[in-house]
Amino acid sequence: MGTGKRTLIAAAVTVVCALTVLAVPCTAFAAPSPTPTPAATSATTPPAAATGTVTPPPDKDLEAVREQLDRLYHAASVATDAYNAAEEKSQQQSAEIVQLARKIVEGQERLDDLKDRAGAAARAQYRGGGLPDEARLMLSDNPQQFLDGAGRVIQGERATKGLLGEMTRTQQDLKQYAADASAQWRKLEANRRAKAAAQKDIERQIKAAKTLESRLEKRQKERLAKLEEEAALRAQTAWLDSGILDEINGKASAQGKKAVTFATAQIGKPYVWGAEGPDSYDCSGLTSQAWANAGHGIPRTSQEQWKQLEHVDIKDMRPGDLIIYFGDASHVAMYVGDGAIIHAPRPGRTVTLAGAGTMPILGVVRPDA
């Protein structure tokens, strides 16, 4: 292998290795985080911790604590969606850079080959030069043979011009590949910084929630859990009382059944932000993997699922469809029928079965429409 080729391949390998380093979680990439809702923004400041003995809040304030925890975990969910979107984009950019590196190597090899061929053609023409064509025709013992040779020379000249034109185009392609790779690299670096910021935001929200929960006594935590159950039950009851379930009678598609089967098998596995299995999931990690397992890839994040997948009316939804929650599309669950969903709720919880109406519904999307 020539020194030039080794250098080019080494450069491509360097690109790949650099990407591998950037893929390490501690220096991962990101896209800009969606603008948080006013409620989420107000929840970013952790509650002040008392010095010395931590004083639990009065029992009468537990409902306010529940609402504040909801805001904190919602803010964490928004940041998680931004983190996941950044991860998906960075993977695409990494693949594009690797592809461009390969094109640069292949293009340079092609250029070297064209230069060798053009040089050989030029040398052949030089060796056949000398007297003008008219003089060589008059001195030739076989005029027809000369004319045949002259035709080949003209063809050779045309071929040489073609080689030079191809060399120019190849050089232009290489220049464009290099510019594209440079642009993708800049995007990757910007995403890395934004993703790091999204990660800090997630960790800050979760830490604030845990700090708030740590101030509660055991009996208060039990009461808080009861309040959460009651709030979910009220929301689900109100949703069912609307009569919506009487209108929902859609049958799952073959792929939808597979997606539901996969999601059901994940019940009990912990929620971990940014996770997409097999041992833990976040909300969109669960839904995207369920549909990937069913043989139909969908976007990674709940916001992109809402943007890109076909919207269907709630009354027309069927098992396997995805219900998108909250005005900012920051949560997603899979509808499994009979007014129920399977979802990965939030940090500290596990994948679970719940009522479809326990959270504010933004809309429904169908992956296999």
Side-chain angles (χ1 to χ4, degrees):
M1 185 183 297
T3 304
K5 184 173 182 179
R6 283 199 299 269
T7 302
L8 288 167
I9 293 178
V13 171
T14 301
V15 171
V16 177
C17 291
L19 294 175
T20 303
V21 171
L22 286 178
V24 176
C26 65
T27 58
F29 341 110
S33 175
T35 302
T37 60
T41 304
S42 64
T44 57
T45 304
T51 57
T53 304
V54 175
T55 303
D59 287 1
K60 64 182 179 65
D61 292 340
L62 285 179
E63 178 60 24
V65 169
R66 184 191 69 78
E67 292 175 356
Q68 187 173 359
L69 285 172
D70 282 349
R71 289 193 296 271
L72 288 167
Y73 282 121
H74 177 261
S77 180
V78 171
T80 298
D81 220 41
Y83 179 95
N84 291 335
E87 177 68 14
E88 189 172 41
K89 286 183 180 179
S90 67
Q91 289 174 358
Q92 294 170 355
Q93 289 167 343
S94 298
E96 288 175 7
I97 289 175
V98 171
Q99 187 62 32
L100 286 166
R102 288 173 180 158
K103 286 183 177 180
I104 289 171
V105 171
E106 292 169 359
Q108 189 61 58
E109 290 174 346
R110 175 66 174 158
L111 184 61
D112 291 343
D113 178 61
L114 289 169
K115 285 180 178 179
D116 289 342
R117 289 166 57 189
R123 289 191 295 272
Q125 289 184 27
Y126 177 77
R127 288 193 297 270
L131 293 172
D133 288 344
E134 296 84 351
R136 285 194 286 153
L137 175 60
M138 293 176 65
L139 296 172
S140 174
D141 294 332
N142 188 333
Q144 184 60 51
Q145 185 179 25
F146 170 78
L147 291 173
D148 291 342
R152 286 194 294 273
V153 169
I154 292 172
Q155 292 175 355
E157 289 176 346
R158 289 174 179 171
T160 300
K161 289 180 180 178
L163 285 172
L164 293 174
E166 190 172 354
M167 284 172 57
T168 300
R169 289 191 297 272
T170 302
Q171 288 173 324
Q172 291 171 343
D173 288 344
L174 284 171
K175 184 177 180 180
Q176 186 60 52
Y177 294 153
D180 291 345
S182 178
Q184 289 295 342
W185 192 266
R186 287 193 296 271
K187 290 180 181 178
L188 203 58
E189 280 294 295
N191 282 346
R192 183 192 66 78
R193 292 189 295 270
K195 185 176 176 182
Q199 179 174 340
K200 288 181 180 179
D201 194 16
I202 296 167
E203 293 170 346
R204 182 170 63 252
Q205 308 296 347
I206 294 175
K207 181 179 179 181
K210 288 182 176 179
T211 299
L212 181 58
E213 290 173 318
S214 70
R215 297 173 58 200
L216 302 177
E217 297 175 344
K218 181 180 179 181
R219 63 176 180 81
Q220 290 181 312
K221 290 179 181 179
E222 293 172 351
R223 176 56 184 157
L224 181 63
K226 186 67 174 176
L227 288 173
E228 291 175 349
E229 291 175 5
E230 291 172 354
L233 180 60
R234 285 195 302 271
Q236 177 72 355
T237 300
W239 186 68
L240 294 176
D241 285 348
S242 69
I244 187 64
L245 202 57
D246 296 334
E247 301 181 38
I248 301 173
N249 53 16
K251 303 295 183 182
S253 65
Q255 284 187 312
K257 289 179 180 178
K258 290 181 181 179
V260 169
T261 298
F262 179 90
T264 303
Q266 312 313 310
I267 290 177
K269 293 184 179 180
Y271 176 104
V272 174
W273 62 266
E276 45 190 335
D279 300 321
S280 58
Y281 297 88
D282 62 19
C283 67
S284 58
L286 175 64
T287 55
S288 61
Q289 287 303 304
W291 272 99
N293 183 264
H296 191 90
I298 63 174
R300 169 64 176 89
T301 70
S302 60
Q303 292 179 341
E304 288 304 309
Q305 289 169 8
W306 174 244
K307 289 178 184 177
Q308 297 185 34
L309 301 180
E310 182 170 325
H311 293 202
V312 297
D313 195 285
I314 293 178
K315 67 181 178 58
D316 296 324
M317 71 180 174
R318 64 194 188 192
D321 287 347
L322 306 181
I323 302 180
I324 309 296
Y325 291 96
F326 304 106
D328 52 12
S330 59
H331 191 71
V332 61
M334 179 175 292
Y335 183 65
V336 295
D338 296 326
I341 57 171
I342 289 176
H343 71 143
R346 64 169 174 81
R349 301 293 171 81
T350 61
V351 176
T352 189
L353 190 70
T358 54
M359 296 168 285
I361 295 176
L362 176 61
V364 179
V365 295
R366 179 163 295 162
D368 62 339

